[in-house]
Amino acid sequence: MPLVSMRQLLDEAAKGGYGVGAFNVNDMEQIQAIMMAAKETKSPVIVQASRGARQFAEDLYLFRLIQAAAELNPEIPIAMHQDHGNSFETCKSAIELGYTSVMMDGSLQADGKTPSSFEENVEVTRKVVDYAHERGVTVEGEIGVLGGVEDGHGAGGSGLDHITDPDQAVEFAERTGVDALAIAIGTSHGAYKFTKKPDGSVLKMDVLIAIHKRLPNTHLVMHGSSSVPKDLQDIVNKYGGNLKETWGVPVEEIQLGIRNGVRKVNVDTDNRLAITGAIRKVLWETPEKFDPRDYMKPAREAMKKVVAQRMVEFGQAGHGGDYAPIDIKEIAKGYANGTLTTQPLVAAK
Ligand code: 13P
């Protein structure tokens, strides 16, 4: 199966009332882990690469690996997504490479650190939407600013610093024509999101619900959605790691989000923890080992386990074979003739 438009994948998720995990990748083993999990759970897949990942792996290596995943798993729809594009040029280069979806994170300026104005965000996002839609490529925008920093991208600080204003979310969606909208509801990238199990004072699910009521046909995106499970923290620490006690986003809160318009759920940190814990365990218990396969294989398996669990919890499991891919050129025609607007192909449940 060729790479699929993320828009199609999210429209189908809206039809089925489920969410789709978007898992970050940097290397072959992570891509394999996701595909193993998707195969096992019969799930559609969103694979995403940050600017840091594209730099680390070199664009072409990473993209060819995704193409291999698509070729080896023709029964699974896969969307390839640029995570946190910082500029028009970054998004354009991903599209030229063959990504079927891009995020233009205009909530920050091109330095990836300084919050931008609403008008700057609208302007750059609209420019990306025009370019991408002409080519059938999906666009995710962001309004409000996430906390923390990931791969050098982020404003830092608390997730509560720039919570999305529902009025602005409506205006932003209307003026940009984005296919999916990331909102800030108190989450941050990375392991250190909350100092205790989050309640409504720090995780603003009420804001998400208010935005969904105003924008019932816009696919919402939850960034910073790792749950940072205690058992994964414990494995890292048991084998020589030094993580401070921390809390992530409870899966039941993500499921509440999915019942209220969330279609894409970004997860990176949980997989990083699973991989690191598995590698540490092998090296701690058998320090004489030096063949990377001895620790990369359990690391891949540990990530696969987390991804498969999330695929079941987000509801995408079992939906990988529901639909045939629409050619990206047909998607482009849909944008051009107005049949594909910010209204999903099918109404959200
Ligand atoms: P986590 O750090 O919570 O995994 O979030 C990842 C993310 O939002 C990538 O854009």
Side-chain angles (χ1 to χ4, degrees):
M1 193 181 283
L3 293 174
V4 174
S5 141
M6 188 172 83
R7 173 62 189 269
Q8 186 189 4
L9 228 126
L10 299 186
D11 284 352
E12 288 290 338
K15 186 163 96 182
Y18 58 88
V20 184
F23 302 102
N24 288 76
V25 295
N26 305 278
D27 60 31
M28 181 183 75
E29 287 81 358
Q30 289 179 310
I31 294 168
Q32 289 175 324
I34 295 168
M35 296 317 298
M36 284 154 63
K39 232 178 149 111
E40 184 179 287
T41 61
K42 300 189 173 28
S43 296
V45 168
I46 301 172
V47 179
Q48 59 185 8
S50 64
R51 278 188 296 139
R54 287 177 59 187
Q55 214 170 19
F56 170 80
E58 290 186 45
D59 266 340
L60 203 54
Y61 282 118
L62 200 57
F63 190 68
R64 291 279 197 264
L65 286 167
I66 304 294
Q67 286 179 315
E71 209 174 308
L72 291 169
N73 300 277
E75 74 289 6
I76 298 173
I78 307 173
M80 182 61 205
H81 176 77
Q82 162 79 59
D83 191 22
H84 290 287
N86 64 321
S87 64
F88 174 78
E89 285 70 30
T90 299
C91 294
K92 182 169 179 273
S93 70
I95 293 167
E96 281 169 352
L97 207 55
Y99 283 43
T100 54
S101 180
V102 293
M103 176 186 193
M104 177 59 235
D105 179 1
S107 72
L108 299 176
Q109 294 181 7
D111 66 2
K113 290 182 174 57
T114 316
S116 56
S117 72
F118 180 74
E119 288 303 324
E120 285 169 327
N121 191 355
V122 168
E123 191 184 326
V124 70
T125 306
R126 179 76 238 179
K127 189 174 169 191
V128 171
V129 167
D130 289 342
Y131 182 85
H133 283 184
E134 232 174 83
R135 291 152 182 84
V137 171
T138 310
V139 181
E140 172 187 339
E142 175 167 326
I143 183 77
V145 183
L146 270 280
V149 178
E150 190 194 30
D151 280 355
H153 182 102
S158 150
L160 290 172
D161 290 348
H162 304 276
I163 296 287
T164 304
D165 167 34
D167 287 338
Q168 277 201 342
V170 173
E171 189 182 338
F172 184 80
E174 284 171 353
R175 284 178 61 189
T176 58
V178 288
D179 302 279
L181 184 63
I183 54 173
I185 54 167
T187 66
S188 329
H189 291 125
Y192 299 104
K193 301 181 197 301
F194 304 111
T195 51
K196 58 182 173 57
K197 188 170 182 208
D199 57 21
S201 66
V202 287
L203 181 60
K204 303 285 185 190
M205 297 307 291
D206 55 331
V207 172
L208 185 147
I209 291 166
I211 293 170
H212 177 54
K213 284 215 172 90
R214 304 276 305 275
L215 287 171
N217 293 321
T218 296
H219 303 309
L220 300 180
V221 183
M222 269 177 85
H223 279 247
S225 292
S226 277
S227 301
V228 197
K230 176 111 176 41
D231 58 331
L232 293 183
Q233 296 179 44
D234 287 347
I235 294 172
V236 171
N237 285 341
K238 183 172 172 195
Y239 299 107
N242 188 13
L243 297 170
K244 288 176 285 173
E245 200 173 29
T246 178
W247 276 262
V249 182
V251 168
E252 61 270 21
E253 300 290 353
I254 296 171
Q255 289 168 334
L256 172 65
I258 291 169
R259 290 196 294 279
N260 287 280
V262 170
R263 298 292 156 235
K264 175 171 180 273
V265 186
N266 283 19
V267 174
D268 188 3
T269 296
D270 285 353
N271 292 325
R272 292 177 170 193
L273 289 172
I275 289 168
T276 299
I279 293 174
R280 279 191 173 280
K281 183 170 188 291
V282 172
L283 296 181
W284 183 273
E285 287 180 341
T286 47
E288 70 281 8
K289 290 204 162 155
F290 60 88
D291 180 343
R293 290 171 296 186
D294 287 337
Y295 50 85
M296 289 313 297
K297 209 171 158 199
R300 185 173 61 188
E301 192 55 36
M303 174 166 163
K304 183 218 126 186
K305 208 171 139 209
V306 172
V307 172
Q309 190 183 335
R310 295 288 176 268
M311 284 172 161
V312 171
E313 290 164 341
F314 299 163
Q316 72 202 82
H319 290 288
D322 287 359
Y323 46 94
I326 302 171
D327 189 284
I328 204 118
K329 291 196 191 78
E330 289 304 311
I331 299 273
K333 278 188 208 158
Y335 287 125
N337 65 25
T339 48
L340 262 186
T341 60
T342 44
Q343 308 292 313
L345 288 169
V346 281
K349 273 190 183 164

